[in-house]
Amino acid sequence: MGSASKQSNSTGKQPRPGSKAANQADRRARIAELRAVEERRERRNKLLTIGISSVLVLGMIGGGTWLTLDAKHKSDAKKAAAAAQVEAQKKAQEAAEKVDISGVKTFDNLGRNHVTTAVTYPQVPPVGGDHNPVWATCMGNVYDAPVKNENAVHSLEHGAVWVTYNGKASADDVKALSEKVKATPYSLMSPYPDEPGTITLSAWGTQLVVDSASDPRVEQFFTKYVQGKQTPEPGASCSSGTM
């Protein structure tokens, strides 16, 4: 019987249910099925992982591209606005230069030597001449005490407008002029008790006396003479001078 059984199995006939061979066959089938299920699960997870990764990568690329384009757009807009402002200021100054401001006095033949001694100037306040090697800082600086003539004159040489006033100027005028100066690079302001006029605006070789900050010629003077054509050294620094 044993020999007959072996011969029957070797011919490919199905083993008897419950026999050892049948149990081994069932076990192998279950293992194969489990492996197939696991392989399908791994393929599904792999595809899901690839999909999620692709979405994240595309999102990062898209987000990075958007941020780059947004930053470039903001930078371009900022540059365009700055260029437009410069162009507007240029046109305003060109228009102002064609306007004759009533009461403006001009002075020629002004020395430009650097000296370390006190200088006697013919104008009060001075509008030019020999001056100290160090300028008065004039980036919208408002001084509450007089500055030295020799330093302020050097500021004028660099294209600054110097606003001075005496005790006849009202508190409102002083405040209004201070705000104007603070908003204007290449300008400075200081008290000048000995000046004959109430408020004096000075640029290199140029001067205007007014009685009030509301005088429209104040705005005209700033527009025309801050870094105006009268400037001996246009673009020279107005910062890091003496305070």
Side-chain angles (χ1 to χ4, degrees):
M1 293 295 291
S3 298
S5 176
K6 290 180 179 179
Q7 290 174 359
S8 174
N9 289 339
S10 65
T11 60
K13 293 181 179 180
Q14 295 296 326
R16 293 192 306 276
S19 65
K20 182 177 181 181
N23 291 337
Q24 289 177 343
D26 289 342
R27 184 171 178 274
R28 285 194 295 270
R30 286 197 301 273
I31 292 173
E33 184 179 356
L34 290 172
R35 285 178 176 173
V37 171
E38 180 65 19
E39 288 175 356
R40 288 195 297 272
R41 186 179 68 80
E42 288 181 353
R43 285 197 298 271
R44 187 167 59 251
N45 289 343
K46 185 179 293 184
L47 290 173
L48 183 61
T49 300
I50 292 173
I52 293 174
S53 298
S54 299
V55 170
L56 290 175
V57 170
L58 290 174
M60 292 173 66
I61 293 173
T65 301
W66 182 86
L67 288 173
T68 300
L69 292 175
D70 184 59
K72 185 177 185 302
H73 175 72
K74 290 180 179 179
S75 177
D76 290 345
K78 188 175 181 180
K79 290 178 181 178
Q85 184 178 10
V86 170
E87 184 63 23
Q89 291 174 342
K90 180 180 178 182
K91 289 182 178 180
Q93 188 170 49
E94 288 175 349
E97 287 171 351
K98 298 177 182 179
V99 175
D100 291 328
I101 303 174
S102 175
V104 168
K105 296 180 180 180
T106 57
F107 305 87
D108 299 321
N109 302 317
L110 302 172
R112 292 179 53 199
N113 298 312
H114 285 179
V115 296
T116 56
T117 56
V119 179
T120 299
Y121 296 102
Q123 304 87 25
V124 181
V127 297
D130 295 345
H131 49 269
N132 192 276
V134 181
W135 56 89
T137 302
C138 43
M139 291 301 287
N141 295 77
V142 175
Y143 299 94
D144 56 9
V147 299
K148 291 184 177 181
N149 286 335
E150 293 78 12
N151 300 116
V153 169
H154 196 158
S155 300
L156 302 184
E157 185 183 42
H158 289 188
V161 163
W162 181 21
V163 179
T164 55
Y165 60 94
N166 61 24
K168 292 184 290 185
S170 70
D172 288 342
D173 283 339
V174 173
K175 180 181 178 182
L177 291 168
S178 296
E179 291 173 353
K180 175 63 178 176
V181 169
K182 289 177 181 178
T184 309
Y186 284 91
S187 71
L188 70 159
M189 177 175 171
S190 65
Y192 205 108
D194 298 333
E195 72 176 29
T198 303
I199 298 167
T200 306
L201 308 178
S202 302
W204 184 269
T206 310
Q207 195 166 77
L208 172 68
V209 177
V210 297
D211 294 326
S212 170
S214 61
D215 191 314
R217 293 176 296 170
V218 172
E219 185 66 30
Q220 293 173 347
F221 193 94
F222 269 83
T223 303
K224 185 171 184 176
Y225 293 111
V226 170
Q227 287 286 289
K229 285 187 175 181
Q230 84 291 340
T231 305
E233 297 180 4
S237 176
C238 229
S239 60
S240 301
T242 184
M243 300 297 288

